[in-house]
Amino acid sequence: MKSNPNRGSAPGERALSILGATGSIGHSTLDVVSRHAGAFTIHALTAHTSADALIELCLRHEPQVAVLSGLAEDSSLRRRLRDSGCATELLFGPGALLRAVEGCDVVMAAIVGAAGLPPTLAAARAGKRILLANKEALVMAGPLFMHEARRAGAVLLPIDSEHNAVFQCLPTDAGGRARLTEVRRIILTASGGPFRTASFEKLRTVTPDEACAHPNWVMGRKISVDSATMMNKGLEVIEARWLFDMEPSCIEVVIHPQSVIHSMVEYVDGSTIAQLSNPDMRVPIAHALAFPGRMESGATPLDLAAIGQLSFEPPDLQRFPCLGLAYSALAAGGTAPAILNAANEVAVDAFLSGRLSFNGIAQVDEEVLGSVSSGNADSLDAVLEADRMARASAHACVGRRLERAA
Ligand code: NAD
Ligand code: MG
């Protein structure tokens, strides 16, 4: 799996760049790749500020390029790599993420948040094969992203388990294009998160550690909080709208606490096709890495008799208003989903650092969505400007709440 910087990939090997290599999805991707010697060579690895973790990955995988996007030039880190005999070129700053998507065949887009949009869009414009975990690229800039991907012939393979499940339930060609003509509905499953049965009173006093303790999945802290508020499902509705070109009224959400059915597609004849597996992100990652083939993922096979029961219930939009906000943002169109996403990133960060209550997340999201006016989302600049305005508004909103509480 190591790549000698002087030779590039061997015949049959695909050069893989992992954006967000030190995160939860990055870790699972490297785990799957390590099970298939000779299938992939690691071209580039990126992290934001986790220098030690990235250097450790460089020593193990010897990519041609590594990027620390949240740090300024640091020659001592370069020296550390060189002194360990590692020939990886270490780059710094957000602009260097664009270098990570050059010169590879496959990009795993696994940066968390809005920061993932520019390099993932660059990969789309370069016609890469993109394994899309960074849902924010589609939430913020769905029509633009899909247009650019189609124009450049990029292949989009969903990693989000729900979208990967839908993709697996649809007829597709080898280029990853899905045929949706006889589809009536997409049904996204949601675990309901750690507070599925919690009372309104309990939700007021939830702590960050409680919110991050997801019952079925181990994930980064941002998406864990989003799963607890159900904003994650809202973002996934927006992601599905653009990825599969489905009207929002044809995308439904059902709570399925066991996280065994990862989503379903209902056809016009009444047939519903589902994809099942244990909740392990290595399953969608292996599916996308091998597509249109299959490869071993390391996940434990399903034992349905041991699971016993699969249950379903409707989502509760009173206790979890974030899901409704996502449908509202989709209905508003333009930059509204980017505004909601940015507000939510600020609000979740404030919650994780103890400056905002759990219920305050939805309140900040709603206030910003209602107060920042949306415009056309037809260029990256327009989307990033909406993101900036929404962040400023959300920071002010969090600040006002802190003052009132003081
Ligand atoms: P994580 O927090 O575990 O890892 C995030 C990675 O992105 C890290 O490598 C980090 O260094 C990097 N990063 C963080 N901020 C950055 C910034 N501003 N600029 C550049 N890089 C930055 O996150 P994760 O749970 O692996 O999630 C990654 C993406 O995948 C998210 O968009 C998430 O919604 C999506 N996703 C994750 C899961 C999961 O199971 N973890 C499932 C479905 C979808
Ligand atoms: Mg998901």
Side-chain angles (χ1 to χ4, degrees):
M1 201 183 27
K2 282 189 174 188
S3 86
N4 177 337
N6 298 319
R7 78 158 162 80
S9 13
E13 275 183 337
R14 285 183 154 168
L16 172 67
S17 290
I18 306 180
L19 308 178
T22 53
S24 165
I25 293 288
H27 177 80
S28 296
T29 304
L30 287 167
D31 180 283
V32 175
V33 167
S34 70
R35 294 165 191 275
H36 301 277
F40 295 94
T41 181
I42 303 297
H43 176 75
L45 297 173
T46 84
H48 198 47
T49 51
S50 331
D52 289 344
L54 188 72
I55 284 184
E56 203 185 306
L57 290 180
C58 287
L59 297 181
R60 199 170 328 143
H61 302 285
E62 276 196 43
Q64 297 199 13
V65 175
V67 177
L68 281 162
S69 52
L71 298 185
E73 291 282 329
D74 184 338
S75 52
S76 68
L77 288 174
R78 283 212 180 99
R79 225 177 5 258
R80 230 169 100 189
L81 267 186
R82 244 198 342 267
D83 292 350
S84 312
C86 177
T88 298
E89 184 185 2
L90 182 59
L91 303 171
F92 297 89
L97 290 172
L98 302 182
R99 278 286 308 282
V101 301
E102 287 169 8
C104 65
D105 306 308
V106 184
V107 175
M108 166 54 85
I111 287 173
V112 61
L117 172 60
T120 310
L121 185 61
R125 285 177 169 155
K128 301 289 179 191
R129 188 178 177 90
I130 302 173
L131 280 44
L132 189 66
N134 177 257
K135 63 191 80 184
E136 294 85 353
L138 282 177
V139 169
M140 296 173 71
L144 171 70
F145 188 88
M146 294 305 289
H147 173 78
E148 298 286 344
R150 265 192 298 269
R151 201 171 61 160
V155 175
L156 293 184
L157 298 166
I159 293 298
D160 219 340
S161 57
E162 297 76 4
H163 305 72
N164 182 270
V166 168
F167 187 79
Q168 292 199 46
C169 296
L170 292 170
T172 43
D173 63 25
R177 278 171 296 273
R179 205 162 44 81
L180 279 132
T181 38
E182 291 96 18
V183 171
R184 188 190 281 154
R185 281 192 305 167
I186 284 177
I187 303 157
L188 301 179
T189 53
S191 69
F195 310 128
R196 181 174 60 88
T197 58
S199 64
F200 272 111
E201 287 64 40
K202 169 66 195 162
L203 292 180
R204 262 188 221 119
T205 58
V206 157
T207 66
D209 282 346
E210 285 173 324
C212 289
H214 196 280
N216 305 337
W217 299 95
V218 180
M219 307 180 285
R221 282 171 84 77
K222 161 68 170 51
I223 184 176
S224 296
V225 175
D226 284 347
S227 298
T229 61
M230 288 204 67
M231 178 56 89
N232 183 50
K233 211 49 53 180
L235 300 180
E236 290 181 356
V237 167
I238 302 173
E239 181 184 8
R241 194 265 174 269
W242 302 121
L243 196 51
F244 302 116
D245 196 19
M246 284 299 276
E247 287 303 322
S249 59
C250 300
I251 305 171
E252 288 189 18
V253 172
V254 67
I255 305 288
H256 165 48
Q258 296 82 13
S259 298
V260 166
I261 295 182
H262 297 296
S263 279
M264 297 169 255
V265 174
E266 183 186 284
Y267 287 86
V268 288
D269 60 4
S271 297
T272 298
I273 308 213
Q275 184 262 348
L276 287 72
S277 75
N278 278 321
D280 185 329
M281 287 307 293
R282 292 177 300 177
V283 175
I285 290 168
H287 172 264
L289 283 170
F291 183 83
R294 295 271 174 181
M295 59 167 48
E296 210 267 319
S297 69
T300 311
L302 261 188
D303 183 346
L304 284 172
I307 292 165
Q309 280 199 332
L310 299 180
S311 56
F312 306 92
E313 58 194 64
D316 179 348
L317 295 182
Q318 303 297 314
R319 280 182 307 135
F320 300 103
C322 286
L323 181 55
L325 291 178
Y327 277 101
S328 302
L330 256 185
T335 53
I339 289 167
L340 178 64
N341 178 70
N344 187 59
E345 286 189 19
V346 171
V348 170
D349 188 55
F351 167 68
L352 284 172
S353 57
R355 290 175 291 120
L356 186 67
S357 68
F358 183 76
N359 284 340
I361 298 173
Q363 289 158 5
V364 169
D365 290 352
E366 184 170 12
E367 198 171 322
V368 174
L369 185 62
S371 63
V372 176
S373 36
S374 65
N376 275 337
D378 47 12
S379 71
L380 180 59
D381 284 347
V383 171
L384 294 180
E385 178 56 21
D387 176 273
R388 264 192 297 276
M389 278 169 18
R391 276 170 205 274
S393 170
H395 280 298
C397 196
V398 171
R400 281 194 300 275
R401 285 167 168 273
L402 275 172
E403 274 170 25
R404 277 203 300 271

